[in-house]
Amino acid sequence: MPTQTPQNPLVGMAWMVVTGLCFVGMTAFVKLLGSRIPAGEAAFLRYLIGLVFLIPMWRDLAAMRLTRRQWGLAAGRGAVHTLGVVLWFYAMTRLPMAEVTAMNYMTPVYVSLLAVVFLGERLAIRRILAMLAALIGVLIILRPGFRTLDGGHFAMLGTALFFSVSYLLAKIQSGELPASMVVALLSITVSVGLAPMAVMDWVAPNLWDLVLLAGIACFATAGHFTMTKAFASAPVTVTQPITFLQLIWSVGIGAVFFHEAIDYWVILGGIVILSAATFIAWRESVLNRKIMPPMNAAKF
């Protein structure tokens, strides 16, 4: 019988702090990349470079035999994740880092709602109130009618939705395939899905662009590794609140390095959304269910 990893909340929290630094570093590198490289091409090159990390498992991939249903799940997840990645890269060229980070907190809330629709989860009053609170958080960030909304705001709403669908499909896959194969299939299918978008609007990347893209791939891979360590060491209800630090770091890096104005409404909205997501995660743990994804689990 396999042995479980001993739970250590402090170690889990420490790993989640490192995870946050990795994902914020990835976001900063995307911001540095800017809009010279189109969003579809930038996302494609990031995933193409990331395929290097699959080399150690190529034998397992070659020996894998999937059913038609499993191929369908892999293709479906690759398609929705591709759309989410492109929208995320686009939003990063249009919005401050803090707004992207805050709106990304909606992903777990979307997952909880989709679980009700597609997995038959019961929609209790507490979950309804938490979702309404998250919606209020989004309205606080967007403030429609009080400022002009950018295409990046709508892109981030779409990003969170597509990543939520991707997570639910991953849950189905994880019941049939090893976790490493689920990740590998995502990397391959997203690379294939992004290729046509990249070719249609190709801009030759220079050496600096490639360095930044390699950095994005490294930060994303390291972030997923440390996130896995965090959730092996402590429950999601312990580690999820730590993701609030990502918003603080995003505000700081955006202000210092990219001269982005600090928007306290964005910070307030992010706190509201994160609080709602954390409450839902706590309720899931009380009910002994595993529907809620960890923060950033569906990203890259």
Side-chain angles (χ1 to χ4, degrees), residues 176-300:
E176 305 174 7
L177 299 170
S180 59
M181 293 299 102
V182 174
V183 173
L185 284 170
L186 179 66
S187 298
I188 294 170
T189 53
V190 172
S191 297
V192 173
L194 289 169
M197 301 183 192
V199 171
M200 285 189 296
D201 195 16
W202 183 264
V203 174
N206 56 38
L207 181 59
W208 177 239
D209 295 331
L210 294 175
V211 169
L212 291 176
L213 287 162
I216 293 168
C218 290
F219 272 124
T221 302
H224 279 289
F225 173 76
T226 56
M227 185 174 63
T228 301
K229 299 288 287 185
F231 293 121
S233 302
V236 67
T237 49
V238 173
T239 56
Q240 186 155 273
I242 304 300
T243 60
F244 172 69
L245 292 175
Q246 293 182 37
L247 182 57
I248 301 301
W249 292 327
S250 295
V251 170
I253 292 174
V256 174
F257 294 101
F258 300 102
H259 309 293
E260 296 174 348
I262 298 177
D263 190 334
Y264 293 100
W265 289 107
V266 171
I267 297 174
L268 176 61
I271 293 172
V272 172
I273 297 171
L274 178 59
S275 299
T278 302
F279 176 79
I280 294 174
W282 172 76
R283 283 298 301 167
E284 297 298 342
S285 69
V286 168
L287 297 173
N288 243 347
R289 296 184 303 208
K290 295 182 179 180
I291 296 298
M292 280 289 293
M295 286 294 183
N296 295 305
K299 183 196 289 186
F300 296 96

Side-chain angles (χ1 to χ4, degrees), residues 54-240:
L54 299 184
I55 292 176
M57 61 179 73
W58 73 269
R59 290 181 183 275
D60 293 333
L61 283 170
M64 187 169 52
R65 297 292 180 268
L66 301 181
T67 65
R68 181 177 296 182
R69 176 176 176 277
Q70 289 169 338
W71 275 118
L73 288 171
R77 188 188 181 205
V80 296
H81 206 88
T82 295
L83 294 172
V85 168
V86 172
L87 290 176
W88 188 84
F89 268 83
Y90 172 74
M92 278 304 306
T93 66
R94 308 282 301 185
L95 301 178
M97 287 179 59
E99 290 199 44
V100 171
T101 301
M103 294 186 70
N104 195 59
Y105 288 153
M106 277 298 294
T107 298
V109 181
Y110 274 145
V111 168
S112 187
L113 179 60
L114 291 173
V116 172
V117 177
F118 295 105
L119 301 183
E121 285 291 308
R122 189 170 63 87
L123 192 59
I125 186 64
R126 291 186 181 91
R127 198 190 295 192
I128 294 175
L129 293 175
M131 290 177 182
L132 289 175
L135 178 59
I136 292 172
V138 171
L139 292 175
I140 291 173
I141 294 172
L142 297 180
R143 302 190 298 285
F146 293 92
R147 67 166 178 167
T148 302
L149 296 181
D150 187 272
H153 292 115
F154 299 104
M156 274 309 301
L157 290 174
T159 295
L161 179 59
F162 285 128
F163 282 161
S164 301
V165 176
S166 174
Y167 176 78
L168 287 181
L169 291 175
K171 280 190 64 65
I172 298 173
Q173 287 180 295
S174 64
E176 305 174 7
L177 299 170
S180 59
M181 293 299 102
V182 174
V183 173
L185 284 170
L186 179 66
S187 298
I188 294 170
T189 53
V190 172
S191 297
V192 173
L194 289 169
M197 301 183 192
V199 171
M200 285 189 296
D201 195 16
W202 183 264
V203 174
N206 56 38
L207 181 59
W208 177 239
D209 295 331
L210 294 175
V211 169
L212 291 176
L213 287 162
I216 293 168
C218 290
F219 272 124
T221 302
H224 279 289
F225 173 76
T226 56
M227 185 174 63
T228 301
K229 299 288 287 185
F231 293 121
S233 302
V236 67
T237 49
V238 173
T239 56
Q240 186 155 273

